[in-house]
Amino acid sequence: MNVLLIEDDDSSRKSMKRFMESKGFSVTTSKNGKEALGELENGEIQLIVSDKKMPQMSGIEFLKKIREDGIKIPVIILTAFGDIDSAVNAMQLGASHYIQKPVHPDDLLLKMNDIIEREKLTSELQYLRKELDKATCFNEIIGKSAPIRKVFDKIKMVGAAKSTVLIQGESGTGKELVARAIHKCGPRKSKPFVVINCAAMPETLFESELFGHVKGAFTGAVDKKGLFEEANYGTLFIDEIGELKRDVQVKLLRVIENKTITRVGATVEKSIDVRLLAATNRCLENEVKSGNFRSDLFYRLNVVCINAPPLRERKEDIALMIRVFTEQICEENNMAVKTVDPQVVDILTNYSWPGNVRELRNLIESIIVLSSKERIAVDDLPANVRGETPDDETLFFKPGMSLAELEKKAILFTLKRLNENRSKTAEALGVSLRTIQRKINDYELQ
Ligand SMILES: Nc1ncnc2c1ncn2[C@@H]1O[C@H](COP(=O)(O)OP(=O)(O)OP(=O)(O)O)[C@@H](O)[C@H]1O
Ligand SMILES: [Mg+2]
C-alpha cells in the first residue's frame, strides 16, 4: 500500500514515516499541500495522511483541490487537539477520517486499516456489479427478462449465419441495437456496419444513395459508391424499411436475388457480398395485405424475424435500466452517481412507456440534468408519468356526457390501472367477468 504523508514538522514526519514503514506501508512524504500535488501525478498513491496546518497550502486547501479535480484517493486529516470545526470541515470536504494531534500510533494504524478495508469492499462491490451487469447486458442491450433473453438467444443464433433478418418492434424498443449486436456476433464484425434510414431519405436520392451512380448519370454527377458498396463484406442495416416506395422495393429485391448492383447510369453490374438486416416499426405483414409492401420482398427479408418486445411487456427490466442509465448519464456528465427513490422505481415500473426504452432513457437524462439533488424523488417526475392525468382520468366526467360514454371511460381507465386484467376490472367495477368482456367487445376497447 502506497501512502503519501504530508506534514511540515520534520520530526513528526520522520517518526510517522518510520512507524508506517514498520507496519509494511511504503511511504512518500511532502512538506506541504503544494509539494504533495506533484507527488500525485504518477498515480501510485493509494492513501493520503495530511496535517491540517501547513505553510503554502494547508491540508484543507489540498483536500478541496484534489476533490475538485476528481481525485478520489482516501484522505486522513490531522487536526489540532480540540479543533472540532476543522475536523467537521474536513469531513464535509470528503476526508475519510480525521485524527486529533498528538497522533497516537495505534489510532493512526486503526484508521488506516479501516480505510483499506473499506476500499477493498468498494472495489469488490464494483467488481461484482460489473459481473452482474455482464449477465444482464448483451452488447449494450440491457435486460434480464424472459422476452429480452429470447432476443439475446436469437441474436447469438443468427449472428454467425448470413441470413437476412427482419427486426420488428415499436419505436424505441432497441431495434438498431439488435441490428448492431447481430453484426458484432458474427464473422463480419470487423467489416463495415452501414445504416440507411428510409424514413429520412428523400425518395429521389434513394437509388443513387443505395446503389451509387456514375459520372454523368445526372447533371453534375461524379462517380460515387453507394451504401451497398460501402457495406461490402459487412452488413447493411436498412432501417424503417416499411417506408420504402414500391419502385425501389423491386430494385432491392433484384439485388438480393442476384447479389449484384448496378450504379445509376451504369451498364455493368458489380457483384457484392453484403448481409442485410432490416427494421420496421410497422407490421410489415399488414403492409403486404394492404398492398403497400411487395410480398416477394417481404418473404426475402423475413427469413428470420426478431421481435423487439415493448417495454411494458418486460417490466422486470425497468429497475435494472433505471440503475444502469442513471450511472451512465451521471458519468457522461461528470456527476457523482445519484440515487433513485424506490417509490420512483415503482412508479416507473408501472408506467406504460409508449416511447419504450428511448422514452425511459430520455426521462432519466432530463431529471438528472435538471435537478441538483442527489436523490431522485417522486416530485421530480412529470405529472403524466406519476399517473396524474387530470384531463384524461380523474376529471373525465363532464356534466351532460352520455351514460354510455361514462361507462366506456370507466372501463377503459380501470383496465389501464389494473394492467389490462379483466377479472380484476370486473371486480373493481362490481360486475361479472362476462359483462366486462361483453362491454369490452361492444365498446371496441381491445
Ligand atoms: N435494451 C436496451 N438497453 C439499453 N438501451 C436501449 C435498449 N433498447 C433501446 N435502448 C436505447 O433506446 C434508444 C432507442 O433505441 P433504438 O434506436 O435502437 O430504437 P429503435 O427501435 O430503432 O427505435 P425507432 O423505431 O424509433 O428507430 C437508444 O438510445 C438505445 O440506446
Ligand atoms: Mg431505429
Side-chain angles (χ1 to χ4, degrees), residues 140-142 170-177 239-240 281 314 321 325 357-358 361:
E140 291 168 45
I141 310 175
I142 304 162
E170 292 174 16
S171 181
T173 46
K175 296 185 291 296
E176 182 158 348
L177 283 186
D239 203 359
E240 315 280 0
N281 55 25
R314 42 175 162 137
M321 286 180 174
F325 287 154
V357 187
R358 178 182 291 115
R361 198 178 201 284

PDB file of all heavy atoms in Angstrom, residues 140-142 170-177 239-240 281 314 321 325 357-358 361, ligand 1:
ATOM      1  N   GLU A 140     -24.489  -4.124 -25.103  1.00  0.00           N
ATOM      2  CA  GLU A 140     -25.136  -2.842 -24.780  1.00  0.00           C
ATOM      3  C   GLU A 140     -26.646  -2.914 -24.653  1.00  0.00           C
ATOM      4  O   GLU A 140     -27.292  -1.916 -24.355  1.00  0.00           O
ATOM      5  CB  GLU A 140     -24.783  -1.752 -25.804  1.00  0.00           C
ATOM      6  CG  GLU A 140     -23.331  -1.319 -25.716  1.00  0.00           C
ATOM      7  CD  GLU A 140     -22.923  -0.469 -26.894  1.00  0.00           C
ATOM      8  OE1 GLU A 140     -23.685   0.424 -27.262  1.00  0.00           O
ATOM      9  OE2 GLU A 140     -21.843  -0.735 -27.443  1.00  0.00           O
ATOM     10  N   ILE A 141     -27.232  -4.079 -24.914  1.00  0.00           N
ATOM     11  CA  ILE A 141     -28.682  -4.191 -24.733  1.00  0.00           C
ATOM     12  C   ILE A 141     -28.917  -4.628 -23.287  1.00  0.00           C
ATOM     13  O   ILE A 141     -28.511  -5.719 -22.887  1.00  0.00           O
ATOM     14  CB  ILE A 141     -29.305  -5.226 -25.682  1.00  0.00           C
ATOM     15  CG1 ILE A 141     -28.850  -4.966 -27.115  1.00  0.00           C
ATOM     16  CG2 ILE A 141     -30.821  -5.212 -25.568  1.00  0.00           C
ATOM     17  CD1 ILE A 141     -29.317  -6.009 -28.109  1.00  0.00           C
ATOM     18  N   ILE A 142     -29.547  -3.764 -22.515  1.00  0.00           N
ATOM     19  CA  ILE A 142     -29.773  -4.077 -21.112  1.00  0.00           C
ATOM     20  C   ILE A 142     -31.056  -4.880 -20.987  1.00  0.00           C
ATOM     21  O   ILE A 142     -32.048  -4.569 -21.631  1.00  0.00           O
ATOM     22  CB  ILE A 142     -29.925  -2.779 -20.298  1.00  0.00           C
ATOM     23  CG1 ILE A 142     -28.705  -1.896 -20.495  1.00  0.00           C
ATOM     24  CG2 ILE A 142     -30.152  -3.079 -18.825  1.00  0.00           C
ATOM     25  CD1 ILE A 142     -28.962  -0.460 -20.102  1.00  0.00           C
ATOM     26  N   GLU A 170     -41.994  -1.773 -31.825  1.00  0.00           N
ATOM     27  CA  GLU A 170     -42.431  -0.393 -31.709  1.00  0.00           C
ATOM     28  C   GLU A 170     -41.222   0.538 -31.666  1.00  0.00           C
ATOM     29  O   GLU A 170     -40.100   0.097 -31.429  1.00  0.00           O
ATOM     30  CB  GLU A 170     -43.230  -0.219 -30.404  1.00  0.00           C
ATOM     31  CG  GLU A 170     -44.550  -0.947 -30.415  1.00  0.00           C
ATOM     32  CD  GLU A 170     -45.244  -0.875 -29.061  1.00  0.00           C
ATOM     33  OE1 GLU A 170     -44.871  -0.036 -28.216  1.00  0.00           O
ATOM     34  OE2 GLU A 170     -46.160  -1.673 -28.856  1.00  0.00           O
ATOM     35  N   SER A 171     -41.495   1.816 -31.834  1.00  0.00           N
ATOM     36  CA  SER A 171     -40.432   2.801 -31.790  1.00  0.00           C
ATOM     37  C   SER A 171     -39.757   2.815 -30.412  1.00  0.00           C
ATOM     38  O   SER A 171     -40.434   2.740 -29.391  1.00  0.00           O
ATOM     39  CB  SER A 171     -41.037   4.172 -32.094  1.00  0.00           C
ATOM     40  OG  SER A 171     -40.029   5.116 -32.086  1.00  0.00           O
ATOM     41  N   GLY A 172     -38.429   2.888 -30.416  1.00  0.00           N
ATOM     42  CA  GLY A 172     -37.692   2.996 -29.153  1.00  0.00           C
ATOM     43  C   GLY A 172     -37.457   1.689 -28.430  1.00  0.00           C
ATOM     44  O   GLY A 172     -37.000   1.679 -27.286  1.00  0.00           O
ATOM     45  N   THR A 173     -37.733   0.565 -29.082  1.00  0.00           N
ATOM     46  CA  THR A 173     -37.542  -0.727 -28.396  1.00  0.00           C
ATOM     47  C   THR A 173     -36.130  -1.273 -28.567  1.00  0.00           C
ATOM     48  O   THR A 173     -35.808  -2.328 -28.024  1.00  0.00           O
ATOM     49  CB  THR A 173     -38.536  -1.786 -28.910  1.00  0.00           C
ATOM     50  OG1 THR A 173     -38.549  -1.740 -30.330  1.00  0.00           O
ATOM     51  CG2 THR A 173     -39.931  -1.533 -28.372  1.00  0.00           C
ATOM     52  N   GLY A 174     -35.298  -0.573 -29.329  1.00  0.00           N
ATOM     53  CA  GLY A 174     -33.906  -1.023 -29.446  1.00  0.00           C
ATOM     54  C   GLY A 174     -33.610  -1.828 -30.699  1.00  0.00           C
ATOM     55  O   GLY A 174     -32.683  -2.636 -30.705  1.00  0.00           O
ATOM     56  N   LYS A 175     -34.359  -1.583 -31.769  1.00  0.00           N
ATOM     57  CA  LYS A 175     -34.151  -2.382 -32.991  1.00  0.00           C
ATOM     58  C   LYS A 175     -32.756  -2.153 -33.573  1.00  0.00           C
ATOM     59  O   LYS A 175     -32.114  -3.090 -34.029  1.00  0.00           O
ATOM     60  CB  LYS A 175     -35.214  -2.018 -34.044  1.00  0.00           C
ATOM     61  CG  LYS A 175     -36.624  -2.373 -33.583  1.00  0.00           C
ATOM     62  CD  LYS A 175     -37.643  -2.126 -34.672  1.00  0.00           C
ATOM     63  CE  LYS A 175     -37.857  -0.643 -34.976  1.00  0.00           C
ATOM     64  NZ  LYS A 175     -38.432   0.133 -33.850  1.00  0.00           N
ATOM     65  N   GLU A 176     -32.293  -0.907 -33.506  1.00  0.00           N
ATOM     66  CA  GLU A 176     -30.961  -0.641 -34.049  1.00  0.00           C
ATOM     67  C   GLU A 176     -29.887  -1.324 -33.204  1.00  0.00           C
ATOM     68  O   GLU A 176     -28.901  -1.845 -33.728  1.00  0.00           O
ATOM     69  CB  GLU A 176     -30.714   0.869 -34.138  1.00  0.00           C
ATOM     70  CG  GLU A 176     -29.366   1.163 -34.744  1.00  0.00           C
ATOM     71  CD  GLU A 176     -29.249   2.567 -35.341  1.00  0.00           C
ATOM     72  OE1 GLU A 176     -30.277   3.251 -35.488  1.00  0.00           O
ATOM     73  OE2 GLU A 176     -28.113   2.952 -35.650  1.00  0.00           O
ATOM     74  N   LEU A 177     -30.094  -1.340 -31.886  1.00  0.00           N
ATOM     75  CA  LEU A 177     -29.128  -2.035 -31.015  1.00  0.00           C
ATOM     76  C   LEU A 177     -29.080  -3.516 -31.360  1.00  0.00           C
ATOM     77  O   LEU A 177     -28.014  -4.135 -31.363  1.00  0.00           O
ATOM     78  CB  LEU A 177     -29.530  -1.885 -29.543  1.00  0.00           C
ATOM     79  CG  LEU A 177     -29.252  -0.557 -28.847  1.00  0.00           C
ATOM     80  CD1 LEU A 177     -29.587  -0.681 -27.369  1.00  0.00           C
ATOM     81  CD2 LEU A 177     -27.807  -0.153 -29.022  1.00  0.00           C
ATOM     82  N   ASP A 239     -33.023   0.646 -42.177  1.00  0.00           N
ATOM     83  CA  ASP A 239     -33.936   0.995 -41.094  1.00  0.00           C
ATOM     84  C   ASP A 239     -35.226   1.566 -41.681  1.00  0.00           C
ATOM     85  O   ASP A 239     -35.195   2.207 -42.734  1.00  0.00           O
ATOM     86  CB  ASP A 239     -33.249   2.039 -40.197  1.00  0.00           C
ATOM     87  CG  ASP A 239     -33.843   2.046 -38.801  1.00  0.00           C
ATOM     88  OD1 ASP A 239     -34.775   1.266 -38.539  1.00  0.00           O
ATOM     89  OD2 ASP A 239     -33.374   2.854 -37.969  1.00  0.00           O
ATOM     90  N   GLU A 240     -36.332   1.350 -40.979  1.00  0.00           N
ATOM     91  CA  GLU A 240     -37.653   1.840 -41.426  1.00  0.00           C
ATOM     92  C   GLU A 240     -37.955   1.364 -42.836  1.00  0.00           C
ATOM     93  O   GLU A 240     -38.401   2.132 -43.689  1.00  0.00           O
ATOM     94  CB  GLU A 240     -37.722   3.381 -41.399  1.00  0.00           C
ATOM     95  CG  GLU A 240     -37.167   4.020 -40.150  1.00  0.00           C
ATOM     96  CD  GLU A 240     -38.154   3.978 -38.996  1.00  0.00           C
ATOM     97  OE1 GLU A 240     -39.279   3.439 -39.167  1.00  0.00           O
ATOM     98  OE2 GLU A 240     -37.796   4.463 -37.899  1.00  0.00           O
ATOM     99  N   ASN A 281     -41.065  -0.346 -37.709  1.00  0.00           N
ATOM    100  CA  ASN A 281     -41.986  -0.311 -36.570  1.00  0.00           C
ATOM    101  C   ASN A 281     -43.431  -0.480 -37.035  1.00  0.00           C
ATOM    102  O   ASN A 281     -44.362  -0.360 -36.270  1.00  0.00           O
ATOM    103  CB  ASN A 281     -41.808   0.951 -35.717  1.00  0.00           C
ATOM    104  CG  ASN A 281     -41.927   2.212 -36.542  1.00  0.00           C
ATOM    105  OD1 ASN A 281     -42.560   2.212 -37.586  1.00  0.00           O
ATOM    106  ND2 ASN A 281     -41.307   3.281 -36.080  1.00  0.00           N
ATOM    107  N   ARG A 314     -41.995  -6.127 -20.491  1.00  0.00           N
ATOM    108  CA  ARG A 314     -40.827  -6.662 -19.768  1.00  0.00           C
ATOM    109  C   ARG A 314     -40.505  -5.722 -18.618  1.00  0.00           C
ATOM    110  O   ARG A 314     -39.426  -5.142 -18.542  1.00  0.00           O
ATOM    111  CB  ARG A 314     -39.631  -6.851 -20.698  1.00  0.00           C
ATOM    112  CG  ARG A 314     -39.437  -5.724 -21.675  1.00  0.00           C
ATOM    113  CD  ARG A 314     -38.185  -5.907 -22.490  1.00  0.00           C
ATOM    114  NE  ARG A 314     -38.227  -5.095 -23.679  1.00  0.00           N
ATOM    115  CZ  ARG A 314     -37.208  -4.390 -24.139  1.00  0.00           C
ATOM    116  NH1 ARG A 314     -36.060  -4.411 -23.534  1.00  0.00           N
ATOM    117  NH2 ARG A 314     -37.327  -3.671 -25.225  1.00  0.00           N
ATOM    118  N   MET A 321     -32.715  -1.032 -15.828  1.00  0.00           N
ATOM    119  CA  MET A 321     -32.395   0.053 -16.766  1.00  0.00           C
ATOM    120  C   MET A 321     -32.243   1.380 -16.034  1.00  0.00           C
ATOM    121  O   MET A 321     -31.352   2.164 -16.361  1.00  0.00           O
ATOM    122  CB  MET A 321     -33.488   0.184 -17.819  1.00  0.00           C
ATOM    123  CG  MET A 321     -33.431  -0.921 -18.836  1.00  0.00           C
ATOM    124  SD  MET A 321     -34.733  -0.733 -20.035  1.00  0.00           S
ATOM    125  CE  MET A 321     -34.291  -2.042 -21.166  1.00  0.00           C
ATOM    126  N   PHE A 325     -28.866   3.292 -16.540  1.00  0.00           N
ATOM    127  CA  PHE A 325     -28.939   4.602 -17.213  1.00  0.00           C
ATOM    128  C   PHE A 325     -28.493   5.720 -16.267  1.00  0.00           C
ATOM    129  O   PHE A 325     -27.779   6.632 -16.671  1.00  0.00           O
ATOM    130  CB  PHE A 325     -30.366   4.894 -17.710  1.00  0.00           C
ATOM    131  CG  PHE A 325     -30.770   4.070 -18.920  1.00  0.00           C
ATOM    132  CD1 PHE A 325     -32.108   3.787 -19.174  1.00  0.00           C
ATOM    133  CD2 PHE A 325     -29.819   3.582 -19.793  1.00  0.00           C
ATOM    134  CE1 PHE A 325     -32.476   3.031 -20.281  1.00  0.00           C
ATOM    135  CE2 PHE A 325     -30.177   2.826 -20.907  1.00  0.00           C
ATOM    136  CZ  PHE A 325     -31.518   2.552 -21.147  1.00  0.00           C
ATOM    137  N   VAL A 357     -37.909   2.191 -24.509  1.00  0.00           N
ATOM    138  CA  VAL A 357     -36.649   2.447 -23.806  1.00  0.00           C
ATOM    139  C   VAL A 357     -36.127   3.862 -24.084  1.00  0.00           C
ATOM    140  O   VAL A 357     -35.565   4.509 -23.210  1.00  0.00           O
ATOM    141  CB  VAL A 357     -35.584   1.401 -24.189  1.00  0.00           C
ATOM    142  CG1 VAL A 357     -34.349   1.573 -23.324  1.00  0.00           C
ATOM    143  CG2 VAL A 357     -36.134   0.001 -24.052  1.00  0.00           C
ATOM    144  N   ARG A 358     -36.374   4.352 -25.304  1.00  0.00           N
ATOM    145  CA  ARG A 358     -35.907   5.701 -25.615  1.00  0.00           C
ATOM    146  C   ARG A 358     -36.541   6.713 -24.662  1.00  0.00           C
ATOM    147  O   ARG A 358     -35.863   7.580 -24.117  1.00  0.00           O
ATOM    148  CB  ARG A 358     -36.216   6.064 -27.057  1.00  0.00           C
ATOM    149  CG  ARG A 358     -35.767   7.495 -27.380  1.00  0.00           C
ATOM    150  CD  ARG A 358     -36.085   7.942 -28.780  1.00  0.00           C
ATOM    151  NE  ARG A 358     -35.283   7.238 -29.772  1.00  0.00           N
ATOM    152  CZ  ARG A 358     -35.789   6.423 -30.680  1.00  0.00           C
ATOM    153  NH1 ARG A 358     -37.094   6.216 -30.708  1.00  0.00           N
ATOM    154  NH2 ARG A 358     -35.018   5.822 -31.538  1.00  0.00           N
ATOM    155  N   ARG A 361     -34.960   6.396 -21.155  1.00  0.00           N
ATOM    156  CA  ARG A 361     -33.615   6.964 -21.071  1.00  0.00           C
ATOM    157  C   ARG A 361     -33.666   8.500 -21.099  1.00  0.00           C
ATOM    158  O   ARG A 361     -33.021   9.164 -20.302  1.00  0.00           O
ATOM    159  CB  ARG A 361     -32.726   6.453 -22.209  1.00  0.00           C
ATOM    160  CG  ARG A 361     -31.259   6.672 -21.909  1.00  0.00           C
ATOM    161  CD  ARG A 361     -30.359   6.146 -22.982  1.00  0.00           C
ATOM    162  NE  ARG A 361     -29.007   5.912 -22.481  1.00  0.00           N
ATOM    163  CZ  ARG A 361     -28.120   6.873 -22.253  1.00  0.00           C
ATOM    164  NH1 ARG A 361     -28.448   8.117 -22.461  1.00  0.00           N
ATOM    165  NH2 ARG A 361     -26.924   6.582 -21.785  1.00  0.00           N
TER     166      ARG A 361
HETATM  167  N1  LIG B   1     -32.475  -2.850 -24.135  1.00  0.00           N
HETATM  168  C1  LIG B   1     -31.865  -1.663 -24.193  1.00  0.00           C
HETATM  169  N2  LIG B   1     -30.831  -1.400 -23.381  1.00  0.00           N
HETATM  170  C2  LIG B   1     -30.209  -0.210 -23.415  1.00  0.00           C
HETATM  171  N3  LIG B   1     -30.557   0.803 -24.189  1.00  0.00           N
HETATM  172  C3  LIG B   1     -31.582   0.611 -25.027  1.00  0.00           C
HETATM  173  C4  LIG B   1     -32.289  -0.624 -25.078  1.00  0.00           C
HETATM  174  N4  LIG B   1     -33.253  -0.521 -26.003  1.00  0.00           N
HETATM  175  C5  LIG B   1     -33.156   0.720 -26.503  1.00  0.00           C
HETATM  176  N5  LIG B   1     -32.164   1.413 -25.925  1.00  0.00           N
HETATM  177  C6  LIG B   1     -31.812   2.824 -26.173  1.00  0.00           C
HETATM  178  O1  LIG B   1     -33.004   3.483 -26.556  1.00  0.00           O
HETATM  179  C7  LIG B   1     -32.782   4.334 -27.662  1.00  0.00           C
HETATM  180  C8  LIG B   1     -33.588   3.856 -28.836  1.00  0.00           C
HETATM  181  O2  LIG B   1     -33.080   2.629 -29.334  1.00  0.00           O
HETATM  182  P1  LIG B   1     -33.073   2.282 -30.893  1.00  0.00           P
HETATM  183  O3  LIG B   1     -32.696   3.463 -31.693  1.00  0.00           O
HETATM  184  O4  LIG B   1     -32.288   1.031 -31.088  1.00  0.00           O
HETATM  185  O5  LIG B   1     -34.631   2.003 -31.039  1.00  0.00           O
HETATM  186  P2  LIG B   1     -35.472   1.691 -32.343  1.00  0.00           P
HETATM  187  O6  LIG B   1     -36.284   0.503 -32.019  1.00  0.00           O
HETATM  188  O7  LIG B   1     -34.553   1.625 -33.508  1.00  0.00           O
HETATM  189  O8  LIG B   1     -36.419   2.965 -32.419  1.00  0.00           O
HETATM  190  P3  LIG B   1     -37.068   3.665 -33.738  1.00  0.00           P
HETATM  191  O9  LIG B   1     -38.080   2.700 -34.277  1.00  0.00           O
HETATM  192  O10 LIG B   1     -37.715   4.884 -33.165  1.00  0.00           O
HETATM  193  O11 LIG B   1     -35.950   3.933 -34.658  1.00  0.00           O
HETATM  194  C9  LIG B   1     -31.290   4.320 -27.901  1.00  0.00           C
HETATM  195  O12 LIG B   1     -30.720   5.368 -27.161  1.00  0.00           O
HETATM  196  C10 LIG B   1     -30.849   2.991 -27.352  1.00  0.00           C
HETATM  197  O13 LIG B   1     -29.516   3.023 -26.946  1.00  0.00           O
END
